[in-house]
Amino acid sequence: MRMPTTVDQELPPLSDSNNALEQLSHWIGLGEIDSAILLQGLAYWRGLCRERRFPSRRDVTPRGLAGLLRHTTLLRVIDGGRDYEFRVVGDAYVMAHGKSFQGMRWSDTDRLSPGYHEMIKSTYDHVVREGKPVATRGWIDRGDRGSELIYSEYIFLPLGEDDGTVDHILIFAVYVPRQHSANLLKMENLR
Protein backbone atom coordinates (compact mmCIF):
# COMPACT_ATOMS: atom_id res chain seq x y z
CA MET A 1 0.00 0.00 0.00
CA ARG A 2 1.50 3.32 -1.06
CA MET A 3 0.94 6.24 1.30
CA PRO A 4 0.71 9.79 -0.02
CA THR A 5 3.85 11.88 0.39
CA THR A 6 2.10 15.23 0.51
CA VAL A 7 -0.97 16.58 2.20
CA ASP A 8 -3.98 17.92 0.31
CA GLN A 9 -3.45 21.34 -1.26
CA GLU A 10 -6.58 22.78 0.37
CA LEU A 11 -5.52 22.40 4.00
CA PRO A 12 -6.31 25.48 6.08
CA PRO A 13 -3.42 27.44 7.63
CA LEU A 14 -2.51 26.37 11.15
CA SER A 15 -2.62 29.85 12.57
CA ASP A 16 -4.25 33.15 11.82
CA SER A 17 -2.14 34.97 14.39
CA ASN A 18 -0.30 38.17 13.56
CA ASN A 19 2.79 36.93 15.43
CA ALA A 20 5.49 36.37 12.77
CA LEU A 21 6.92 33.29 14.49
CA GLU A 22 3.51 31.67 14.89
CA GLN A 23 2.85 32.36 11.20
CA LEU A 24 5.79 30.03 10.48
CA SER A 25 3.90 27.09 12.00
CA HIS A 26 2.36 25.13 9.18
CA TRP A 27 1.43 21.76 7.78
CA ILE A 28 4.05 20.15 5.58
CA GLY A 29 4.02 17.22 3.20
CA LEU A 30 5.28 13.91 4.56
CA GLY A 31 8.13 14.12 2.05
CA GLU A 32 9.27 17.39 3.68
CA ILE A 33 9.90 15.88 7.13
CA ASP A 34 13.48 16.63 8.24
CA SER A 35 13.63 14.76 11.53
CA ALA A 36 15.09 11.24 11.56
CA ILE A 37 12.93 10.53 14.64
CA LEU A 38 9.74 11.43 12.78
CA LEU A 39 10.80 9.44 9.73
CA GLN A 40 11.44 6.44 11.98
CA GLY A 41 8.00 6.91 13.57
CA LEU A 42 6.34 7.17 10.16
CA ALA A 43 8.12 3.98 8.99
CA TYR A 44 6.98 2.17 12.16
CA TRP A 45 3.36 3.30 11.62
CA ARG A 46 3.44 2.33 7.93
CA GLY A 47 4.80 -1.10 8.87
CA LEU A 48 1.82 -1.60 11.18
CA CYS A 49 -0.69 -0.58 8.48
CA ARG A 50 -0.18 -3.72 6.40
CA GLU A 51 -3.14 -3.59 3.96
CA ARG A 52 -5.20 -1.15 6.05
CA ARG A 53 -5.46 2.66 5.85
CA PHE A 54 -4.14 2.86 9.42
CA PRO A 55 -3.26 0.42 12.21
CA SER A 56 -5.21 -0.11 15.42
CA ARG A 57 -4.15 1.09 18.87
CA ARG A 58 -3.52 -2.56 19.85
CA ASP A 59 -0.83 -2.81 17.14
CA VAL A 60 1.29 -0.12 18.83
CA THR A 61 3.58 -1.59 21.50
CA PRO A 62 6.28 -0.20 23.81
CA ARG A 63 8.73 -2.64 22.23
CA GLY A 64 7.87 -1.34 18.77
CA LEU A 65 8.39 2.21 20.01
CA ALA A 66 11.89 1.47 21.34
CA GLY A 67 14.01 4.51 20.65
CA LEU A 68 10.91 6.62 19.99
CA LEU A 69 9.06 6.57 23.30
CA ARG A 70 10.47 9.84 24.66
CA HIS A 71 9.19 11.55 21.47
CA THR A 72 5.78 9.84 21.56
CA THR A 73 2.36 11.14 22.57
CA LEU A 74 -0.79 9.03 22.31
CA LEU A 75 -4.22 10.67 22.32
CA ARG A 76 -7.54 8.90 22.76
CA VAL A 77 -10.31 10.41 20.63
CA ILE A 78 -13.41 11.25 22.68
CA ASP A 79 -16.84 11.52 20.99
CA GLY A 80 -15.48 11.59 17.45
CA GLY A 81 -13.11 14.48 18.20
CA ARG A 82 -15.18 16.61 20.56
CA ASP A 83 -12.23 16.21 22.92
CA TYR A 84 -8.99 14.24 23.28
CA GLU A 85 -7.33 12.55 26.24
CA PHE A 86 -3.56 12.31 26.70
CA ARG A 87 -2.87 8.61 27.31
CA VAL A 88 0.93 8.58 26.85
CA VAL A 89 3.17 11.64 27.05
CA GLY A 90 6.89 11.29 26.32
CA ASP A 91 9.67 13.15 28.10
CA ALA A 92 10.45 15.39 25.12
CA TYR A 93 6.86 16.71 25.14
CA VAL A 94 6.99 17.33 28.89
CA MET A 95 10.29 19.23 28.63
CA ALA A 96 9.10 21.36 25.70
CA HIS A 97 5.71 22.21 27.21
CA GLY A 98 6.90 22.46 30.81
CA LYS A 99 4.19 20.09 32.05
CA SER A 100 2.97 16.53 31.65
CA PHE A 101 -0.56 16.43 30.31
CA GLN A 102 -0.88 12.68 30.87
CA GLY A 103 -4.43 11.85 31.93
CA MET A 104 -5.67 15.34 31.04
CA ARG A 105 -8.17 16.18 28.35
CA TRP A 106 -7.29 18.57 25.56
CA SER A 107 -10.12 20.88 26.66
CA ASP A 108 -8.32 21.31 29.99
CA THR A 109 -5.19 22.69 28.31
CA ASP A 110 -6.57 25.83 26.65
CA ARG A 111 -5.65 28.12 29.52
CA LEU A 112 -2.01 26.97 29.32
CA SER A 113 -1.38 28.12 25.73
CA PRO A 114 -4.20 30.23 24.30
CA GLY A 115 -4.13 30.27 20.49
CA TYR A 116 -1.91 27.19 20.25
CA HIS A 117 -4.83 25.17 21.58
CA GLU A 118 -7.14 25.88 18.63
CA MET A 119 -4.34 25.55 16.09
CA ILE A 120 -3.43 22.03 17.24
CA LYS A 121 -7.04 20.94 17.80
CA SER A 122 -7.76 21.70 14.14
CA THR A 123 -4.91 19.33 13.24
CA TYR A 124 -6.26 16.59 15.52
CA ASP A 125 -9.73 17.07 14.04
CA HIS A 126 -8.35 16.82 10.50
CA VAL A 127 -6.56 13.53 11.28
CA VAL A 128 -9.77 12.10 12.79
CA ARG A 129 -11.98 13.32 9.93
CA GLU A 130 -9.66 12.31 7.05
CA GLY A 131 -7.92 9.27 8.57
CA LYS A 132 -4.61 10.44 7.08
CA PRO A 133 -1.26 11.48 8.58
CA VAL A 134 -0.41 15.16 8.95
CA ALA A 135 3.04 16.63 9.57
CA THR A 136 3.77 20.12 10.91
CA ARG A 137 6.73 22.27 11.70
CA GLY A 138 7.05 25.60 13.37
CA TRP A 139 7.04 27.32 16.71
CA ILE A 140 5.19 26.60 19.95
CA ASP A 141 4.60 28.90 22.88
CA ARG A 142 4.43 27.26 26.31
CA GLY A 143 2.33 30.14 27.54
CA ASP A 144 4.77 30.92 30.37
CA ARG A 145 5.43 34.58 30.94
CA GLY A 146 8.89 35.32 29.57
CA SER A 147 9.41 31.89 28.01
CA GLU A 148 10.89 31.62 24.55
CA LEU A 149 9.19 29.96 21.63
CA ILE A 150 10.40 26.44 20.82
CA TYR A 151 10.96 25.15 17.29
CA SER A 152 9.30 21.79 16.66
CA GLU A 153 8.37 19.21 14.07
CA TYR A 154 5.42 16.83 14.53
CA ILE A 155 3.73 13.96 12.76
CA PHE A 156 0.14 13.01 13.68
CA LEU A 157 -0.84 9.44 12.73
CA PRO A 158 -4.35 7.96 12.85
CA LEU A 159 -5.12 4.69 14.67
CA GLY A 160 -8.40 2.78 14.70
CA GLU A 161 -10.06 -0.63 14.80
CA ASP A 162 -11.46 -0.21 11.30
CA ASP A 163 -10.54 1.87 8.27
CA GLY A 164 -13.43 4.26 8.84
CA THR A 165 -13.00 5.37 12.46
CA VAL A 166 -9.98 6.99 14.09
CA ASP A 167 -10.08 6.33 17.84
CA HIS A 168 -6.49 7.32 18.75
CA ILE A 169 -3.80 9.61 17.34
CA LEU A 170 -0.15 8.56 17.59
CA ILE A 171 2.13 11.60 17.62
CA PHE A 172 5.89 11.83 17.26
CA ALA A 173 7.57 15.17 17.94
CA VAL A 174 11.01 16.69 18.15
CA TYR A 175 11.89 20.00 19.75
CA VAL A 176 14.97 22.08 19.03
CA PRO A 177 16.96 23.33 22.03
CA ARG A 178 16.49 27.05 22.45
CA GLN A 179 20.12 27.96 21.70
CA HIS A 180 19.49 26.92 18.08
CA SER A 181 16.22 28.82 17.67
CA ALA A 182 17.67 31.97 16.10
CA ASN A 183 19.55 30.02 13.43
CA LEU A 184 16.44 28.00 12.56
CA LEU A 185 14.37 31.16 12.26
CA LYS A 186 16.88 32.53 9.76
CA MET A 187 16.79 29.25 7.82
CA GLU A 188 12.97 29.19 7.82
CA ASN A 189 12.82 32.77 6.53
CA LEU A 190 15.16 31.84 3.67
CA ARG A 191 12.91 29.00 2.40
Side-chain angles (χ1 to χ4, degrees):
M1 174 181 207
R2 190 174 184 312
M3 297 301 295
T5 57
T6 60
V7 293
D8 300 329
Q9 294 298 323
E10 298 188 26
L11 296 176
L14 277 180
S15 175
D16 59 2
S17 168
N18 290 326
N19 181 318
L21 290 176
E22 289 178 11
Q23 295 260 345
L24 294 176
S25 296
H26 57 281
W27 289 352
I28 60 173
L30 300 182
E32 296 177 64
I33 294 171
D34 290 329
S35 166
I37 296 289
L38 270 60
L39 292 172
Q40 182 181 353
L42 179 60
Y44 171 68
W45 178 84
R46 283 180 170 163
L48 296 176
C49 285
R50 297 180 190 91
E51 297 299 317
R52 297 189 52 212
R53 283 182 62 208
F54 42 82
S56 76
R57 161 63 186 99
R58 289 176 296 142
D59 295 329
V60 178
T61 65
R63 180 177 292 219
L65 293 171
L68 294 169
L69 207 46
R70 75 178 259 102
H71 300 278
T72 302
T73 301
L74 179 67
L75 296 178
R76 181 174 66 92
V77 178
I78 299 171
D79 293 334
R82 196 182 95 246
D83 207 348
Y84 301 90
E85 179 186 14
F86 289 88
R87 303 295 295 157
V88 174
V89 179
D91 293 342
Y93 186 96
V94 173
M95 290 170 53
H97 292 271
K99 178 175 178 59
S100 175
F101 295 164
Q102 188 149 346
M104 291 178 69
R105 288 194 173 192
W106 184 250
S107 58
D108 297 329
T109 67
D110 186 31
R111 70 186 184 291
L112 301 174
S113 295
Y116 175 73
H117 181 270
E118 284 306 313
M119 177 177 72
I120 295 299
K121 179 145 183 342
S122 70
T123 301
Y124 296 162
D125 293 346
H126 182 83
V127 172
V128 170
R129 186 176 55 254
E130 300 298 323
K132 296 179 182 176
V134 172
T136 68
R137 77 163 52 105
W139 297 87
I140 59 172
D141 180 356
R142 289 183 7 180
D144 299 346
R145 178 175 260 170
S147 69
E148 290 188 335
L149 296 173
I150 299 168
Y151 190 79
S152 61
E153 193 170 84
Y154 289 85
I155 188 163
F156 303 84
L157 304 163
L159 302 172
E161 291 300 316
D162 60 66
D163 283 349
T165 306
V166 176
D167 56 29
H168 287 80
I169 302 173
L170 179 63
I171 303 166
F172 297 105
V174 293
Y175 306 93
V176 176
R178 63 190 260 196
Q179 66 265 26
H180 300 294
S181 298
N183 289 334
L184 282 172
L185 178 58
K186 286 181 192 174
M187 288 173 21
E188 189 68 26
N189 282 330
L190 295 175
R191 286 187 177 181

mmCIF file of all heavy atoms in Angstrom, residues 10 26 57 70 78 86 101 105 141 163 185 189:
data_model
loop_
_atom_site.group_PDB
_atom_site.id
_atom_site.type_symbol
_atom_site.label_atom_id
_atom_site.label_comp_id
_atom_site.label_asym_id
_atom_site.label_seq_id
_atom_site.Cartn_x
_atom_site.Cartn_y
_atom_site.Cartn_z
ATOM 1 N N GLU A 10 -5.593 21.870 -0.190
ATOM 2 C CA GLU A 10 -6.584 22.779 0.368
ATOM 3 C C GLU A 10 -6.645 22.752 1.884
ATOM 4 O O GLU A 10 -7.648 23.082 2.476
ATOM 5 C CB GLU A 10 -7.953 22.459 -0.225
ATOM 6 C CG GLU A 10 -7.961 22.662 -1.729
ATOM 7 C CD GLU A 10 -9.335 22.541 -2.327
ATOM 8 O OE1 GLU A 10 -10.324 22.784 -1.615
ATOM 9 O OE2 GLU A 10 -9.407 22.210 -3.503
ATOM 10 N N HIS A 26 3.196 25.522 10.301
ATOM 11 C CA HIS A 26 2.364 25.133 9.177
ATOM 12 C C HIS A 26 2.429 23.629 8.942
ATOM 13 O O HIS A 26 3.339 22.955 9.402
ATOM 14 C CB HIS A 26 2.785 25.881 7.919
ATOM 15 C CG HIS A 26 4.231 25.687 7.560
ATOM 16 N ND1 HIS A 26 5.242 26.363 8.195
ATOM 17 C CD2 HIS A 26 4.828 24.880 6.657
ATOM 18 C CE1 HIS A 26 6.413 25.986 7.694
ATOM 19 N NE2 HIS A 26 6.185 25.084 6.760
ATOM 20 N N ARG A 57 -4.884 0.756 17.649
ATOM 21 C CA ARG A 57 -4.145 1.092 18.867
ATOM 22 C C ARG A 57 -3.451 -0.148 19.418
ATOM 23 O O ARG A 57 -2.326 -0.073 19.927
ATOM 24 C CB ARG A 57 -5.117 1.709 19.894
ATOM 25 C CG ARG A 57 -4.662 1.720 21.330
ATOM 26 C CD ARG A 57 -3.417 2.576 21.530
ATOM 27 N NE ARG A 57 -2.907 2.471 22.867
ATOM 28 C CZ ARG A 57 -1.888 1.697 23.253
ATOM 29 N NH1 ARG A 57 -1.281 0.894 22.390
ATOM 30 N NH2 ARG A 57 -1.477 1.689 24.494
ATOM 31 N N ARG A 70 10.351 8.495 24.072
ATOM 32 C CA ARG A 70 10.469 9.841 24.659
ATOM 33 C C ARG A 70 9.885 10.916 23.740
ATOM 34 O O ARG A 70 9.560 12.006 24.168
ATOM 35 C CB ARG A 70 11.898 10.156 25.067
ATOM 36 C CG ARG A 70 12.846 10.470 23.960
ATOM 37 C CD ARG A 70 14.246 10.829 24.478
ATOM 38 N NE ARG A 70 14.470 12.256 24.471
ATOM 39 C CZ ARG A 70 14.426 13.069 25.517
ATOM 40 N NH1 ARG A 70 14.164 12.634 26.703
ATOM 41 N NH2 ARG A 70 14.638 14.350 25.401
ATOM 42 N N ILE A 78 -12.174 11.292 21.893
ATOM 43 C CA ILE A 78 -13.415 11.245 22.676
ATOM 44 C C ILE A 78 -14.548 11.826 21.831
ATOM 45 O O ILE A 78 -14.426 12.939 21.308
ATOM 46 C CB ILE A 78 -13.264 12.041 23.997
ATOM 47 C CG1 ILE A 78 -12.152 11.427 24.847
ATOM 48 C CG2 ILE A 78 -14.589 12.093 24.754
ATOM 49 C CD1 ILE A 78 -11.782 12.245 26.060
ATOM 50 N N PHE A 86 -4.963 12.697 26.769
ATOM 51 C CA PHE A 86 -3.559 12.314 26.704
ATOM 52 C C PHE A 86 -3.376 10.994 27.440
ATOM 53 O O PHE A 86 -3.522 10.929 28.657
ATOM 54 C CB PHE A 86 -2.673 13.383 27.351
ATOM 55 C CG PHE A 86 -2.569 14.651 26.557
ATOM 56 C CD1 PHE A 86 -3.497 15.668 26.720
ATOM 57 C CD2 PHE A 86 -1.537 14.823 25.651
ATOM 58 C CE1 PHE A 86 -3.393 16.843 25.997
ATOM 59 C CE2 PHE A 86 -1.435 15.988 24.910
ATOM 60 C CZ PHE A 86 -2.364 17.001 25.083
ATOM 61 N N PHE A 101 0.884 16.390 30.466
ATOM 62 C CA PHE A 101 -0.564 16.428 30.313
ATOM 63 C C PHE A 101 -1.174 15.036 30.439
ATOM 64 O O PHE A 101 -2.372 14.867 30.216
ATOM 65 C CB PHE A 101 -0.946 17.014 28.958
ATOM 66 C CG PHE A 101 -0.569 18.467 28.757
ATOM 67 C CD1 PHE A 101 -0.552 19.011 27.496
ATOM 68 C CD2 PHE A 101 -0.245 19.290 29.821
ATOM 69 C CE1 PHE A 101 -0.226 20.338 27.286
ATOM 70 C CE2 PHE A 101 0.088 20.622 29.640
ATOM 71 C CZ PHE A 101 0.097 21.142 28.364
ATOM 72 N N ARG A 105 -7.462 16.023 29.604
ATOM 73 C CA ARG A 105 -8.175 16.177 28.346
ATOM 74 C C ARG A 105 -7.670 17.437 27.660
ATOM 75 O O ARG A 105 -7.243 18.387 28.318
ATOM 76 C CB ARG A 105 -9.676 16.268 28.576
ATOM 77 C CG ARG A 105 -10.238 14.928 28.982
ATOM 78 C CD ARG A 105 -11.719 14.925 28.893
ATOM 79 N NE ARG A 105 -12.206 13.573 29.125
ATOM 80 C CZ ARG A 105 -13.439 13.219 28.892
ATOM 81 N NH1 ARG A 105 -14.322 14.099 28.430
ATOM 82 N NH2 ARG A 105 -13.824 11.976 29.112
ATOM 83 N N ASP A 141 4.483 27.993 21.751
ATOM 84 C CA ASP A 141 4.601 28.897 22.884
ATOM 85 C C ASP A 141 4.044 28.173 24.096
ATOM 86 O O ASP A 141 2.877 27.788 24.100
ATOM 87 C CB ASP A 141 3.793 30.160 22.600
ATOM 88 C CG ASP A 141 3.861 31.168 23.723
ATOM 89 O OD1 ASP A 141 4.467 30.900 24.779
ATOM 90 O OD2 ASP A 141 3.288 32.253 23.551
ATOM 91 N N ASP A 163 -11.042 0.830 9.160
ATOM 92 C CA ASP A 163 -10.536 1.871 8.273
ATOM 93 C C ASP A 163 -11.405 3.128 8.214
ATOM 94 O O ASP A 163 -11.042 4.097 7.564
ATOM 95 C CB ASP A 163 -10.363 1.320 6.859
ATOM 96 C CG ASP A 163 -9.115 0.464 6.713
ATOM 97 O OD1 ASP A 163 -8.286 0.461 7.639
ATOM 98 O OD2 ASP A 163 -8.981 -0.201 5.674
ATOM 99 N N LEU A 185 15.246 30.103 12.749
ATOM 100 C CA LEU A 185 14.365 31.156 12.261
ATOM 101 C C LEU A 185 14.941 31.760 10.987
ATOM 102 O O LEU A 185 14.228 31.960 10.007
ATOM 103 C CB LEU A 185 14.157 32.238 13.315
ATOM 104 C CG LEU A 185 13.279 33.412 12.900
ATOM 105 C CD1 LEU A 185 11.902 32.925 12.477
ATOM 106 C CD2 LEU A 185 13.168 34.409 14.026
ATOM 107 N N ASN A 189 13.134 31.569 7.300
ATOM 108 C CA ASN A 189 12.823 32.773 6.532
ATOM 109 C C ASN A 189 13.449 32.737 5.142
ATOM 110 O O ASN A 189 12.990 33.427 4.245
ATOM 111 C CB ASN A 189 13.287 34.016 7.274
ATOM 112 C CG ASN A 189 12.348 34.384 8.390
ATOM 113 O OD1 ASN A 189 11.148 34.113 8.310
ATOM 114 N ND2 ASN A 189 12.865 34.969 9.449
#
